[in-house]
Amino acid sequence: GALWDQVRDAQLMPERFAALVLAEVPREKDEQIVPVLLGRLERSIRAYIAPAKVPTVTASAERTLWDGARDASKPYGIRKAFLDAFIGLASSTDGISKLESLLSADSAAGEPVRDPTRWAVVDRMIVLGTPRAGRSLAAQVARDTTPDGRRRAFVAGAADGSAAVKADYFSRYFTDRTLNEDWASGSLGAFNAREQQDVTLPYLRPALDSLPFIQANRRIFFLGSWLGAFIGGHTSDAALQTVKRFLADHPRLPKDLREKVLQSSDELERTVRIRKRWQ
């Protein structure tokens, strides 16, 4: 915990922290501690570590996480945490191959592979734009015909990195009166996948400009999800400057909205500072 505080205060290189986690987490036996460590590992890799160093660290993480998920000596709770972290981080050729294998597997982490895991794999494949992503999505849509399956299909669609898909989804958030708000809220994270920042950055300012509309026309918790996704999906100084310009351009923004924007942008500002320190 102290080392993580040092990472977030830009005093410890995030790749050193990641290496320590990868070295020690296979021996951790506490089912509550493991997910915390893996969450910090994922944050380090996907946000704090300089992009040029990410592939090397990710390859090491993939091996450790995959091995942990397959380790029959560990309880299911720990194995599942390893599996979930693997799905969230996998990006190498080998990692993608293992992701795809999960869709045809009967079991993973010692239990049957269920639809939530399959959807998580499909979402990741779509974010990465893998060659089999479209076919895997179609197969999962056909497999899971439940109401939640239809919602998950909409969420998965938002993870598509093409400019046309992003434009369609962003427009539907405002113009489609038939769109279920839970579906819209659930898709915001996929829309703002960090791997697609170059595509989603142009939507950051319009998303901020729309805050009065969101506050007036959506349920109370939607606003937090909206800000958390559109700001939290970025790690660049360009995104941080976009937020700062928005606040400067709206000095009379209602206090509650301003505070929500500042709260959501705090982690982005921290991320930019860490990446500048260790780039």
Side-chain angles (χ1 to χ4, degrees), residues 117-167:
T117 296
R118 296 181 188 278
W119 278 115
V121 170
V122 169
D123 289 349
R124 184 64 179 164
M125 292 171 65
I126 295 174
V127 165
L128 296 174
T130 68
R132 295 179 58 184
R135 283 176 290 169
S136 297
L137 173 59
Q140 182 59 22
V141 168
R143 177 188 181 91
D144 185 0
T145 58
T146 64
D148 187 62
R150 293 191 291 273
R151 180 189 67 85
R152 289 302 303 260
F154 180 82
V155 171
D160 190 306
S162 70
V165 169
K166 297 300 187 190

Side-chain angles (χ1 to χ4, degrees), residues 25 99 108 118 153 158 179 222 250 254 260 275:
V25 74
L99 277 179
R118 296 181 188 278
L179 180 59
F222 188 89
H250 295 278
K260 289 182 184 298
R275 296 182 80 165

Side-chain angles (χ1 to χ4, degrees), residues 8 21 43-44 68 93-94 99 105 108-109 142 158-160 195 211 215 220-221 249 254 265:
R8 288 173 55 77
V21 171
R43 183 66 191 175
S44 295
T93 300
D94 181 63
L99 277 179
D160 190 306
E195 291 81 358
L211 289 179
Q215 187 177 49
I220 185 171
F221 294 113
D249 291 344
S265 64

Side-chain angles (χ1 to χ4, degrees), residues 154 162-175 191 203:
F154 180 82
S162 70
V165 169
K166 297 300 187 190
D168 178 61
Y169 267 76
F170 193 79
S171 174
R172 289 188 65 184
Y173 291 145
F174 298 97
T175 62
F191 181 98
Y203 292 99

Side-chain angles (χ1 to χ4, degrees), residues 16-31:
R16 289 187 62 190
F17 178 83
L20 181 62
V21 171
L22 292 173
E24 298 298 332
V25 74
R27 291 188 285 273
E28 180 57 59
K29 298 179 180 180
D30 191 303
E31 293 189 30

Side-chain angles (χ1 to χ4, degrees), residues 57 88 115 145 154 168 171 188 204 223 228 237 258 273:
V57 181
D115 280 324
T145 58
F154 180 82
D168 178 61
S171 174
L188 295 176
L204 179 55
L223 180 65
D237 185 59
R258 178 174 293 274
R273 183 168 66 252

